[in-house]
Structures are given as structure tokens and as C-alpha cells.
Amino acid sequence: MNKRVKELLDNMEKVIVGKRFVLKHFLVALLNNGHVLIEDVPGVGKTQIVACLARSVNGVFNRIQFTPDVMPSDIMGFSMFNPSTREFEYREGAAMCNFLLADEINRASPKTQSSLLEIMEEYQVTVDGKTYPLPKPFMVLATQNPIESFGTYPLPEAQMDRFFIKLSIGYPEKDEEKLIIDRFGAENPLDELQPVCSISDILKLQEEVKRVKVEDSLKSYIIDIVNETRKNQYAVVGGSPRGSLSLYRASKAWAYINGRDYILPDDIQQMAIPVLSHRIIINQEAKMNNITSDDVVKEALLNVEVPVLELAQ
């Protein structure tokens, strides 16, 4: 494992208990400048992980609590007239940061949610005809509660497709939960957490991930998996071309995190569900039979032949 990546994981585990596997998925997104949708019940540490990640890399962290009255200008910024200069000046919104936590994103109105589309795809904001680039790296880390529907607005498909991966944190084991009580009983260890790398370090890691080698047979394997999701009888919409590209990039990052400069079929299989499942829309028949988009991806993995690599021989 890369030394810097290990330091990041070890540092985050000073706060986050028993979720190293989930933390590695967060780093996969970070190393690709990708956005993360965290869907889980309240109280499992969604916000803590995001704050922990931002503090570990000494990045600028902004949080916006999404509610129906949040306006696009709160996120993108706005122009204000300055009487002394007699000119309009841009006032930054919450998006001008490295890590934007969109807490309970599905509570914002569709109009406000749509303001994130340009931000998430083009890493810029456009206000009154002028475009302002976002800092590098930049990630949207959005949370939503899967069990509440009152007062929420489902995320549009175009926005879901812009999330690099979708994660669930899950409940801790009994011994881990005891450790959480011991660790957080008196004070929050996040308050004492120190950065272990800089923004420039992250940008260097992102460049190193791009150099991870991928055989043509594995590129075809990725495309075949995504195509298989499109053919599934339960899928109204299968994985998109953006999904194929995201799976390719995620597999490279997973290989890099695990100390390799080349990817294996296992890397693709490991990344397939978090990268593809939220991009798939299932039909009513699937819902009646308790079939999920995760099941569609699993079936695709079973149906596609795994290539044999010269590298592994």
C-alpha cells in the first residue's frame, strides 16, 4: 500500500471505528476527484467521515444543510453591487471549497438540486454569465436517509449519474460500538485530529493513479459488464457510458490503494456495485420481487466471462 494512502487511512481510523473498507472506498473517489453519495440511517457517522477526510488532508471543508428553503445562490454564490466601485462583485457560495458536504441532499427542492449539475460535472460555477473554476481537488459528498420520504425530493437520474460511487456505512459490530462509546464518551477525537498530508500531495496521488496500467482485455471486460446491465430484464435504464468510465477509473484507484500499478479482474468486481448500482433504474416487476439494482450488477458479473491475463500467468 502506498505510504501516503496508509497514513491517510490510519489517521482517519483515529476517529472512525471499524470501517477501513468503507474508508478505502472514500479514497477511491478522492483519488479520482469523484463525488460520493452516502445513503444510510442517521447516527452511523456519515458526517464524521467527511469532516475527518477533509481535516486529514488539510482541505477547505464546507457544509450546507439541505432544506426546502436553500437556494441555488447559497451553493453557487451570487453577484452583489458594490456602491464604492459601482460594479457587481462575485460573492462565493458554499461550493468554493475542496470538500462540500451536502447534508440530506434529498430535502432540497429540485431547483436547488439542479444547481449541482454543473458543479459536479464541470467543476465550475456560472453566475450571471461568468464562470468561476472550483478549487482542486473538489468533491461533493452528499448524504441521504433511505428510510424517510416525507419532505424529500428524489434525486434526478442525471444527478445520480454524476455521483462517482454510492456507499453505505452500516452499523458497527458490538465490540466496535463499545470502542465508539469509549472513544467519544468524553470528547470528540475529531477535534484533535491533525492533517497528515496536503492538498498538493493529493493532486500528486491523483496523477499517480492515472498511470496505473490496464490491459485491453480488462477494458473490454468493463464494457461487457456495463452492457450486460442494460440487457437485464429488470432494468429500465442500465449503466451509462459515464458509468463505464467511472468503473475504469475506480478499478485503477483500488489497485493503487492496494499497492499495485496494474489492475486485475478482482478490482473491477470489487468496484462494480458501488460504481454502477445507483445508475441503474429497475422496473416495477423487480420491486415486486424484491430485486434491487445491486442484484442486477451481481447478475452481470456472473454472466460476463472473466478474462485471463498474461500478467497473472
Side-chain angles (χ1 to χ4, degrees):
M1 180 180 289
N2 178 277
K3 179 185 175 184
R4 191 67 73 188
V5 170
K6 186 177 186 304
E7 288 175 348
L8 266 173
L9 287 170
D10 291 343
N11 197 55
M12 293 173 72
E13 283 192 319
K14 293 177 181 176
V15 178
I16 308 300
V17 177
K19 297 297 177 183
R20 192 176 185 89
F21 189 70
V22 175
L23 295 178
K24 288 171 76 172
H25 282 73
F26 272 91
L27 292 188
V28 165
L30 174 64
L31 295 180
N32 282 284
N33 235 27
H35 312 296
V36 182
L37 177 62
I38 315 160
E39 185 177 84
D40 219 323
V41 296
V44 294
K46 300 187 293 290
T47 306
Q48 287 276 23
I49 286 182
V50 178
C52 188
L53 177 61
R55 189 162 296 189
S56 294
V57 302
N58 203 22
V60 179
F61 169 53
N62 282 344
R63 173 180 178 174
I64 183 163
Q65 188 69 46
F66 275 61
T67 55
D69 60 345
V70 171
M71 300 298 293
S73 58
D74 296 325
I75 301 167
M76 302 172 65
F78 56 92
S79 295
M80 176 176 284
F81 184 71
N82 187 333
S84 60
T85 61
R86 302 191 65 80
E87 292 181 350
F88 282 92
E89 296 177 352
Y90 173 63
R91 300 297 173 91
E92 294 182 354
M96 282 296 170
C97 61
N98 299 116
F99 301 95
L100 175 63
L101 172 59
D103 209 5
E104 297 195 74
I105 188 172
N106 54 336
R107 291 195 175 280
S109 67
K111 180 180 180 180
T112 301
Q113 288 181 14
S114 65
S115 69
L116 287 170
L117 294 177
E118 179 187 13
I119 290 170
M120 295 175 70
E121 179 64 20
E122 301 176 43
Y123 297 88
Q124 64 183 30
V125 296
T126 302
V127 178
D128 293 336
K130 291 185 179 180
T131 299
Y132 305 91
L134 296 171
K136 295 182 179 179
F138 173 77
M139 294 175 68
V140 173
L141 300 113
T143 69
Q144 66 177 9
N145 183 344
I147 61 173
E148 287 187 355
S149 58
F150 183 76
T152 63
Y153 303 86
L155 301 186
E157 287 74 16
Q159 187 171 358
M160 289 291 285
D161 198 41
R162 281 166 168 78
F163 281 106
F164 189 73
I165 57 176
K166 176 184 171 185
L167 297 175
S168 176
I169 297 170
Y171 289 117
E173 299 293 333
K174 287 180 66 175
D175 56 337
E176 294 170 349
E177 196 156 2
K178 181 180 182 300
L179 184 57
I180 291 172
I181 292 173
D182 293 338
R183 189 176 293 184
F184 286 82
E187 56 187 20
N188 190 341
L190 181 64
D191 297 336
E192 304 297 325
L193 195 69
Q194 297 298 316
V196 293
C197 66
S198 65
I199 290 297
S200 60
D201 291 328
I202 297 300
L203 296 177
K204 289 176 184 175
L205 291 176
Q206 290 177 346
E207 290 302 313
E208 290 178 13
V209 167
K210 292 177 183 178
R211 294 195 288 270
V212 172
K213 296 184 285 292
V214 185
E215 285 195 11
D216 284 344
S217 62
L218 289 177
K219 295 176 185 177
S220 298
Y221 183 49
I222 289 170
I223 294 168
D224 288 343
I225 291 169
V226 176
N227 267 302
E228 194 67 26
T229 67
R230 298 168 188 164
K231 299 175 187 175
N232 192 285
Q233 62 174 323
Y234 296 114
V236 177
V237 176
S240 65
R242 187 189 282 123
S244 301
L245 185 58
S246 296
L247 182 53
Y248 170 77
R249 291 173 174 168
S251 301
K252 291 174 73 171
W254 188 258
Y256 180 81
I257 286 172
N258 287 284
R260 282 180 278 106
D261 65 351
Y262 57 90
I263 77 167
L264 298 172
D266 286 349
D267 301 316
I268 298 169
Q269 294 161 7
Q270 182 63 58
M271 288 290 102
I273 289 177
V275 169
L276 296 178
S277 65
H278 63 285
R279 305 172 195 271
I280 296 168
I281 302 173
I282 57 175
N283 58 27
Q284 196 61 39
E285 183 184 356
K287 295 174 184 176
M288 290 172 62
N289 290 290
N290 294 320
I291 293 170
T292 66
S293 55
D294 284 11
D295 295 324
V296 172
V297 178
K298 289 174 184 176
E299 186 175 336
L301 290 171
L302 289 173
N303 291 342
V304 177
E305 185 178 352
V306 180
V308 178
L309 303 182
E310 295 179 6
L311 194 65
Q313 293 178 345

